[in-house]
Amino acid sequence: MHLRAEALILSVRPHGEHGAVVRAFTAAHGMQPGYVRGGRSRALRPVLQPSNQVLGTWRARTEEQLAALTVELLHSCAPLFGEPLPAAALAWVTALTATTLPEALPFPRLHAALEGVLAAIEAAPAARGWAVALVRYELLLLAELGFGLDLTRCAVTDATDDLAFVSPKSGIAVSRAGAAGYEARLLALPPFLQTGGEAGWDDILAGLRLTGHFLARDLLTGKGAEPIAARERLVDRLLRAVA
């Protein structure tokens, strides 16, 4: 196995005394794990920062063996980790992707969307500039992994207009008429997820509650506490920003 490709660093785990196991996301070859010798050294720690873009070279004698990985830094997001909100967003979106994606399967749309989210965070560290992109990324991740929501029709009336809620069980939209009397049991569907464009804080937080419900139920169960904690930190900091 010999692979050379640009990749986004998603996670870094200590391995042995000095090394690190890195999971990196490539456009054509999906998630690729690799062992970086000296990955915990002073020279490599800034390179192996989740969200950084690198040129990686993976080498292994067999497909089953964990490949040895060497990296060259192409672009660093390190300055963003000095700001609480961008840092929380980067930590969450990389942890989510690293935790949920299977290895070695290409997800080109997801890779392009993740690059877009990272670019949006870098271009506009204020959350209003990237939160909408983050919610859309979470929805795309659900869809790419087989848990997509149906936001095109009402689960009760089959209508395609005036959709304002989503069933937390089926993941299908519900119109205002179809939701009558049951609104408290449903998740709000913010308009920007249907019409596009910018969104206010209330809609952004509603979008995060919507995606958060299905991520926790369908993708993160049994995956450990770290991804959930990363998302809780992000939402907490967003709520502080709104207050």
Side-chain angles (χ1 to χ4, degrees):
M1 182 261 199
H2 181 198
L3 171 65
R4 185 173 173 83
E6 293 185 10
L8 299 170
I9 300 292
L10 297 182
S11 70
V12 181
R13 301 288 186 191
H15 189 279
E17 189 172 351
H18 303 291
V21 174
V22 174
R23 294 168 70 82
F25 190 18
T26 71
H29 305 279
M31 174 92 70
Q32 293 289 337
Y35 172 73
V36 179
R37 185 182 299 274
R40 298 163 65 188
S41 68
R42 183 177 299 179
L44 282 178
R45 278 200 304 268
V47 177
L48 298 178
Q49 176 75 51
S51 72
N52 280 357
Q53 184 180 31
V54 299
L55 179 61
T57 302
W58 289 260
R59 289 187 175 88
R61 293 182 179 179
T62 68
E63 293 291 337
E64 293 75 24
Q65 181 185 21
L66 178 64
L69 171 61
T70 58
V71 296
E72 302 171 35
L73 181 63
L74 298 178
H75 182 75
S76 174
C77 291
L80 295 173
F81 282 88
E83 298 292 335
L85 259 179
L90 294 175
W92 158 244
V93 75
T94 52
L96 171 65
T97 309
T99 300
T100 57
L101 283 193
E103 293 178 3
L105 294 180
F107 291 92
R109 291 179 62 214
L110 202 58
H111 185 275
L114 180 56
E115 285 188 321
V117 173
L118 298 179
I121 296 172
E122 188 167 19
R128 281 286 297 274
W130 49 258
V132 167
L134 178 62
V135 175
R136 291 189 177 280
Y137 178 78
E138 293 177 344
L139 278 179
L140 178 61
L141 180 69
L142 285 162
E144 291 281 292
L145 295 180
F147 298 98
L149 309 187
D150 184 350
L151 306 181
T152 63
R153 63 182 179 88
C154 175
V156 179
T157 67
D158 214 35
T160 58
D161 59 352
D162 202 24
L163 303 175
F165 302 94
V166 176
S167 165
K169 293 184 178 181
S170 68
I172 302 175
V174 182
S175 66
R176 295 185 193 279
Y182 296 90
E183 293 89 346
R185 302 182 186 180
L186 303 173
L187 296 163
L189 174 58
F192 76 88
L193 291 180
Q194 296 177 287
T195 60
E198 297 181 356
W201 277 116
D202 287 346
D203 284 343
I204 289 170
L205 294 173
L208 287 168
R209 283 191 292 271
L210 174 65
T211 53
H213 170 80
F214 292 101
L215 288 171
R217 188 191 74 176
D218 297 328
L219 293 183
L220 295 177
T221 300
K223 299 291 188 180
E226 184 176 334
I228 296 293
R231 196 173 203 274
E232 289 175 349
R233 286 193 295 271
L234 171 61
V235 173
D236 179 65
R237 287 174 179 173
L238 284 170
L239 290 172
R240 292 182 188 179
V242 174

mmCIF file of all heavy atoms in Angstrom, residues 73-107:
data_model
loop_
_atom_site.group_PDB
_atom_site.id
_atom_site.type_symbol
_atom_site.label_atom_id
_atom_site.label_comp_id
_atom_site.label_asym_id
_atom_site.label_seq_id
_atom_site.Cartn_x
_atom_site.Cartn_y
_atom_site.Cartn_z
ATOM 1 N N LEU A 73 3.019 19.983 6.032
ATOM 2 C CA LEU A 73 1.959 20.956 6.283
ATOM 3 C C LEU A 73 1.697 21.799 5.040
ATOM 4 O O LEU A 73 2.612 22.371 4.454
ATOM 5 C CB LEU A 73 2.350 21.870 7.445
ATOM 6 C CG LEU A 73 1.318 22.926 7.847
ATOM 7 C CD1 LEU A 73 0.039 22.275 8.349
ATOM 8 C CD2 LEU A 73 1.897 23.856 8.912
ATOM 9 N N LEU A 74 0.422 21.867 4.646
ATOM 10 C CA LEU A 74 0.011 22.728 3.541
ATOM 11 C C LEU A 74 -0.695 23.984 4.043
ATOM 12 O O LEU A 74 -0.521 25.064 3.484
ATOM 13 C CB LEU A 74 -0.909 21.960 2.586
ATOM 14 C CG LEU A 74 -0.309 20.740 1.889
ATOM 15 C CD1 LEU A 74 -1.370 20.060 1.020
ATOM 16 C CD2 LEU A 74 0.894 21.135 1.048
ATOM 17 N N HIS A 75 -1.529 23.825 5.064
ATOM 18 C CA HIS A 75 -2.257 24.979 5.595
ATOM 19 C C HIS A 75 -2.595 24.723 7.053
ATOM 20 O O HIS A 75 -3.089 23.646 7.401
ATOM 21 C CB HIS A 75 -3.543 25.231 4.810
ATOM 22 C CG HIS A 75 -4.299 26.430 5.283
ATOM 23 N ND1 HIS A 75 -3.895 27.727 5.015
ATOM 24 C CD2 HIS A 75 -5.411 26.552 6.043
ATOM 25 C CE1 HIS A 75 -4.731 28.577 5.567
ATOM 26 N NE2 HIS A 75 -5.662 27.884 6.207
ATOM 27 N N SER A 76 -2.341 25.697 7.905
ATOM 28 C CA SER A 76 -2.583 25.555 9.340
ATOM 29 C C SER A 76 -3.758 26.413 9.780
ATOM 30 O O SER A 76 -3.892 27.572 9.374
ATOM 31 C CB SER A 76 -1.334 25.962 10.123
ATOM 32 O OG SER A 76 -1.607 25.952 11.512
ATOM 33 N N CYS A 77 -4.586 25.850 10.649
ATOM 34 C CA CYS A 77 -5.679 26.592 11.280
ATOM 35 C C CYS A 77 -5.335 26.973 12.716
ATOM 36 O O CYS A 77 -6.219 27.365 13.482
ATOM 37 C CB CYS A 77 -6.958 25.753 11.270
ATOM 38 S SG CYS A 77 -7.674 25.514 9.629
ATOM 39 N N ALA A 78 -4.069 26.842 13.082
ATOM 40 C CA ALA A 78 -3.644 27.065 14.468
ATOM 41 C C ALA A 78 -4.106 28.402 15.048
ATOM 42 O O ALA A 78 -4.520 28.447 16.216
ATOM 43 C CB ALA A 78 -2.127 26.942 14.571
ATOM 44 N N PRO A 79 -4.049 29.529 14.296
ATOM 45 C CA PRO A 79 -4.474 30.797 14.897
ATOM 46 C C PRO A 79 -5.911 30.780 15.405
ATOM 47 O O PRO A 79 -6.240 31.510 16.356
ATOM 48 C CB PRO A 79 -4.299 31.801 13.749
ATOM 49 C CG PRO A 79 -3.252 31.197 12.880
ATOM 50 C CD PRO A 79 -3.495 29.721 12.935
ATOM 51 N N LEU A 80 -6.769 29.957 14.811
ATOM 52 C CA LEU A 80 -8.174 29.927 15.216
ATOM 53 C C LEU A 80 -8.368 29.298 16.587
ATOM 54 O O LEU A 80 -9.391 29.525 17.235
ATOM 55 C CB LEU A 80 -9.002 29.162 14.179
ATOM 56 C CG LEU A 80 -9.084 29.797 12.794
ATOM 57 C CD1 LEU A 80 -9.784 28.863 11.820
ATOM 58 C CD2 LEU A 80 -9.817 31.133 12.853
ATOM 59 N N PHE A 81 -7.407 28.490 17.022
ATOM 60 C CA PHE A 81 -7.553 27.830 18.308
ATOM 61 C C PHE A 81 -7.319 28.789 19.472
ATOM 62 O O PHE A 81 -7.491 28.409 20.632
ATOM 63 C CB PHE A 81 -6.634 26.615 18.385
ATOM 64 C CG PHE A 81 -7.172 25.439 17.630
ATOM 65 C CD1 PHE A 81 -6.883 25.276 16.283
ATOM 66 C CD2 PHE A 81 -7.996 24.512 18.254
ATOM 67 C CE1 PHE A 81 -7.392 24.204 15.564
ATOM 68 C CE2 PHE A 81 -8.510 23.438 17.541
ATOM 69 C CZ PHE A 81 -8.215 23.274 16.201
ATOM 70 N N GLY A 82 -6.953 30.016 19.179
ATOM 71 C CA GLY A 82 -6.845 31.025 20.220
ATOM 72 C C GLY A 82 -8.165 31.700 20.528
ATOM 73 O O GLY A 82 -8.246 32.483 21.479
ATOM 74 N N GLU A 83 -9.208 31.420 19.737
ATOM 75 C CA GLU A 83 -10.533 32.002 19.947
ATOM 76 C C GLU A 83 -11.500 30.907 20.380
ATOM 77 O O GLU A 83 -11.616 29.881 19.701
ATOM 78 C CB GLU A 83 -11.031 32.657 18.659
ATOM 79 C CG GLU A 83 -10.171 33.805 18.167
ATOM 80 C CD GLU A 83 -10.236 35.004 19.087
ATOM 81 O OE1 GLU A 83 -11.261 35.150 19.803
ATOM 82 O OE2 GLU A 83 -9.270 35.783 19.116
ATOM 83 N N PRO A 84 -12.222 31.080 21.487
ATOM 84 C CA PRO A 84 -13.043 29.995 22.037
ATOM 85 C C PRO A 84 -14.074 29.409 21.072
ATOM 86 O O PRO A 84 -14.178 28.192 20.945
ATOM 87 C CB PRO A 84 -13.727 30.649 23.248
ATOM 88 C CG PRO A 84 -12.808 31.741 23.652
ATOM 89 C CD PRO A 84 -12.213 32.264 22.377
ATOM 90 N N LEU A 85 -14.830 30.269 20.381
ATOM 91 C CA LEU A 85 -15.877 29.746 19.507
ATOM 92 C C LEU A 85 -15.323 29.009 18.286
ATOM 93 O O LEU A 85 -15.715 27.865 18.022
ATOM 94 C CB LEU A 85 -16.816 30.881 19.070
ATOM 95 C CG LEU A 85 -18.145 30.964 19.809
ATOM 96 C CD1 LEU A 85 -18.960 32.143 19.300
ATOM 97 C CD2 LEU A 85 -18.938 29.682 19.667
ATOM 98 N N PRO A 86 -14.423 29.603 17.515
ATOM 99 C CA PRO A 86 -13.846 28.852 16.397
ATOM 100 C C PRO A 86 -13.145 27.574 16.853
ATOM 101 O O PRO A 86 -13.249 26.531 16.186
ATOM 102 C CB PRO A 86 -12.856 29.839 15.779
ATOM 103 C CG PRO A 86 -13.380 31.179 16.139
ATOM 104 C CD PRO A 86 -13.970 31.006 17.510
ATOM 105 N N ALA A 87 -12.454 27.622 17.984
ATOM 106 C CA ALA A 87 -11.771 26.431 18.488
ATOM 107 C C ALA A 87 -12.767 25.320 18.791
ATOM 108 O O ALA A 87 -12.533 24.145 18.466
ATOM 109 C CB ALA A 87 -10.970 26.780 19.740
ATOM 110 N N ALA A 88 -13.888 25.686 19.415
ATOM 111 C CA ALA A 88 -14.906 24.681 19.734
ATOM 112 C C ALA A 88 -15.524 24.102 18.471
ATOM 113 O O ALA A 88 -15.807 22.903 18.400
ATOM 114 C CB ALA A 88 -15.992 25.301 20.616
ATOM 115 N N ALA A 89 -15.738 24.948 17.462
ATOM 116 C CA ALA A 89 -16.321 24.471 16.210
ATOM 117 C C ALA A 89 -15.369 23.522 15.490
ATOM 118 O O ALA A 89 -15.780 22.466 14.979
ATOM 119 C CB ALA A 89 -16.665 25.655 15.313
ATOM 120 N N LEU A 90 -14.094 23.869 15.427
ATOM 121 C CA LEU A 90 -13.116 23.005 14.768
ATOM 122 C C LEU A 90 -12.985 21.678 15.502
ATOM 123 O O LEU A 90 -12.913 20.608 14.868
ATOM 124 C CB LEU A 90 -11.756 23.703 14.706
ATOM 125 C CG LEU A 90 -11.675 24.955 13.821
ATOM 126 C CD1 LEU A 90 -10.303 25.608 13.968
ATOM 127 C CD2 LEU A 90 -11.939 24.619 12.362
ATOM 128 N N ALA A 91 -12.942 21.729 16.831
ATOM 129 C CA ALA A 91 -12.816 20.499 17.608
ATOM 130 C C ALA A 91 -14.017 19.590 17.380
ATOM 131 O O ALA A 91 -13.872 18.363 17.239
ATOM 132 C CB ALA A 91 -12.669 20.831 19.096
ATOM 133 N N TRP A 92 -15.215 20.180 17.323
ATOM 134 C CA TRP A 92 -16.416 19.372 17.141
ATOM 135 C C TRP A 92 -16.497 18.763 15.747
ATOM 136 O O TRP A 92 -16.715 17.555 15.593
ATOM 137 C CB TRP A 92 -17.666 20.202 17.416
ATOM 138 C CG TRP A 92 -18.904 19.635 16.767
ATOM 139 C CD1 TRP A 92 -19.658 20.213 15.794
ATOM 140 C CD2 TRP A 92 -19.511 18.367 17.037
ATOM 141 N NE1 TRP A 92 -20.692 19.388 15.435
ATOM 142 C CE2 TRP A 92 -20.628 18.251 16.180
ATOM 143 C CE3 TRP A 92 -19.221 17.313 17.900
ATOM 144 C CZ2 TRP A 92 -21.463 17.127 16.180
ATOM 145 C CZ3 TRP A 92 -20.039 16.189 17.896
ATOM 146 C CH2 TRP A 92 -21.146 16.112 17.050
ATOM 147 N N VAL A 93 -16.328 19.558 14.719
ATOM 148 C CA VAL A 93 -16.558 19.052 13.367
ATOM 149 C C VAL A 93 -15.510 18.003 12.983
ATOM 150 O O VAL A 93 -15.820 17.035 12.279
ATOM 151 C CB VAL A 93 -16.609 20.216 12.355
ATOM 152 C CG1 VAL A 93 -15.232 20.786 12.046
ATOM 153 C CG2 VAL A 93 -17.314 19.787 11.073
ATOM 154 N N THR A 94 -14.282 18.145 13.470
ATOM 155 C CA THR A 94 -13.273 17.121 13.171
ATOM 156 C C THR A 94 -13.515 15.865 14.001
ATOM 157 O O THR A 94 -13.365 14.748 13.497
ATOM 158 C CB THR A 94 -11.855 17.657 13.418
ATOM 159 O OG1 THR A 94 -11.763 18.227 14.732
ATOM 160 C CG2 THR A 94 -11.491 18.719 12.387
ATOM 161 N N ALA A 95 -13.903 16.021 15.270
ATOM 162 C CA ALA A 95 -14.179 14.848 16.108
ATOM 163 C C ALA A 95 -15.378 14.074 15.571
ATOM 164 O O ALA A 95 -15.371 12.835 15.535
ATOM 165 C CB ALA A 95 -14.432 15.275 17.552
ATOM 166 N N LEU A 96 -16.412 14.790 15.155
ATOM 167 C CA LEU A 96 -17.595 14.137 14.584
ATOM 168 C C LEU A 96 -17.226 13.317 13.362
ATOM 169 O O LEU A 96 -17.612 12.146 13.226
ATOM 170 C CB LEU A 96 -18.626 15.200 14.202
ATOM 171 C CG LEU A 96 -19.830 14.714 13.389
ATOM 172 C CD1 LEU A 96 -20.675 13.758 14.212
ATOM 173 C CD2 LEU A 96 -20.661 15.892 12.884
ATOM 174 N N THR A 97 -16.465 13.903 12.458
ATOM 175 C CA THR A 97 -16.102 13.218 11.226
ATOM 176 C C THR A 97 -15.208 12.017 11.503
ATOM 177 O O THR A 97 -15.400 10.928 10.945
ATOM 178 C CB THR A 97 -15.415 14.195 10.264
ATOM 179 O OG1 THR A 97 -16.224 15.378 10.132
ATOM 180 C CG2 THR A 97 -15.226 13.573 8.891
ATOM 181 N N ALA A 98 -14.220 12.203 12.389
ATOM 182 C CA ALA A 98 -13.298 11.111 12.714
ATOM 183 C C ALA A 98 -14.025 9.947 13.368
ATOM 184 O O ALA A 98 -13.688 8.775 13.140
ATOM 185 C CB ALA A 98 -12.195 11.619 13.631
ATOM 186 N N THR A 99 -15.029 10.248 14.181
ATOM 187 C CA THR A 99 -15.728 9.218 14.942
ATOM 188 C C THR A 99 -16.700 8.417 14.093
ATOM 189 O O THR A 99 -16.888 7.218 14.318
ATOM 190 C CB THR A 99 -16.492 9.871 16.113
ATOM 191 O OG1 THR A 99 -15.562 10.549 16.955
ATOM 192 C CG2 THR A 99 -17.244 8.842 16.942
ATOM 193 N N THR A 100 -17.306 9.043 13.105
ATOM 194 C CA THR A 100 -18.413 8.406 12.401
ATOM 195 C C THR A 100 -18.056 7.805 11.042
ATOM 196 O O THR A 100 -18.727 6.869 10.597
ATOM 197 C CB THR A 100 -19.565 9.409 12.197
ATOM 198 O OG1 THR A 100 -19.084 10.557 11.497
ATOM 199 C CG2 THR A 100 -20.137 9.846 13.550
ATOM 200 N N LEU A 101 -17.034 8.320 10.373
ATOM 201 C CA LEU A 101 -16.755 7.826 9.027
ATOM 202 C C LEU A 101 -16.043 6.478 9.055
ATOM 203 O O LEU A 101 -15.102 6.283 9.824
ATOM 204 C CB LEU A 101 -15.883 8.817 8.257
ATOM 205 C CG LEU A 101 -16.532 10.072 7.697
ATOM 206 C CD1 LEU A 101 -15.587 10.741 6.701
ATOM 207 C CD2 LEU A 101 -17.859 9.784 7.042
ATOM 208 N N PRO A 102 -16.453 5.539 8.195
ATOM 209 C CA PRO A 102 -15.689 4.300 8.037
ATOM 210 C C PRO A 102 -14.389 4.593 7.296
ATOM 211 O O PRO A 102 -14.258 5.598 6.604
ATOM 212 C CB PRO A 102 -16.613 3.423 7.192
ATOM 213 C CG PRO A 102 -17.450 4.401 6.417
ATOM 214 C CD PRO A 102 -17.642 5.587 7.323
ATOM 215 N N GLU A 103 -13.428 3.702 7.452
ATOM 216 C CA GLU A 103 -12.123 3.915 6.829
ATOM 217 C C GLU A 103 -12.126 3.526 5.354
ATOM 218 O O GLU A 103 -12.810 2.595 4.947
ATOM 219 C CB GLU A 103 -11.043 3.099 7.564
ATOM 220 C CG GLU A 103 -10.788 3.586 8.977
ATOM 221 C CD GLU A 103 -9.755 2.730 9.702
ATOM 222 O OE1 GLU A 103 -9.203 1.797 9.067
ATOM 223 O OE2 GLU A 103 -9.517 2.980 10.890
ATOM 224 N N ALA A 104 -11.360 4.288 4.573
ATOM 225 C CA ALA A 104 -11.014 3.959 3.190
ATOM 226 C C ALA A 104 -12.189 3.973 2.216
ATOM 227 O O ALA A 104 -12.078 3.451 1.109
ATOM 228 C CB ALA A 104 -10.319 2.593 3.134
ATOM 229 N N LEU A 105 -13.301 4.584 2.585
ATOM 230 C CA LEU A 105 -14.429 4.734 1.664
ATOM 231 C C LEU A 105 -14.520 6.200 1.252
ATOM 232 O O LEU A 105 -14.569 7.082 2.116
ATOM 233 C CB LEU A 105 -15.744 4.291 2.309
ATOM 234 C CG LEU A 105 -15.871 2.811 2.654
ATOM 235 C CD1 LEU A 105 -17.230 2.537 3.284
ATOM 236 C CD2 LEU A 105 -15.686 1.946 1.412
ATOM 237 N N PRO A 106 -14.549 6.481 -0.044
ATOM 238 C CA PRO A 106 -14.569 7.884 -0.477
ATOM 239 C C PRO A 106 -15.919 8.548 -0.220
ATOM 240 O O PRO A 106 -16.974 7.954 -0.472
ATOM 241 C CB PRO A 106 -14.277 7.792 -1.976
ATOM 242 C CG PRO A 106 -14.709 6.422 -2.369
ATOM 243 C CD PRO A 106 -14.489 5.537 -1.178
ATOM 244 N N PHE A 107 -15.868 9.762 0.271
ATOM 245 C CA PHE A 107 -17.049 10.604 0.454
ATOM 246 C C PHE A 107 -16.704 11.981 -0.101
ATOM 247 O O PHE A 107 -16.506 12.941 0.660
ATOM 248 C CB PHE A 107 -17.433 10.697 1.935
ATOM 249 C CG PHE A 107 -17.952 9.437 2.535
ATOM 250 C CD1 PHE A 107 -17.094 8.554 3.170
ATOM 251 C CD2 PHE A 107 -19.301 9.128 2.484
ATOM 252 C CE1 PHE A 107 -17.562 7.384 3.745
ATOM 253 C CE2 PHE A 107 -19.792 7.962 3.055
ATOM 254 C CZ PHE A 107 -18.918 7.082 3.679
#
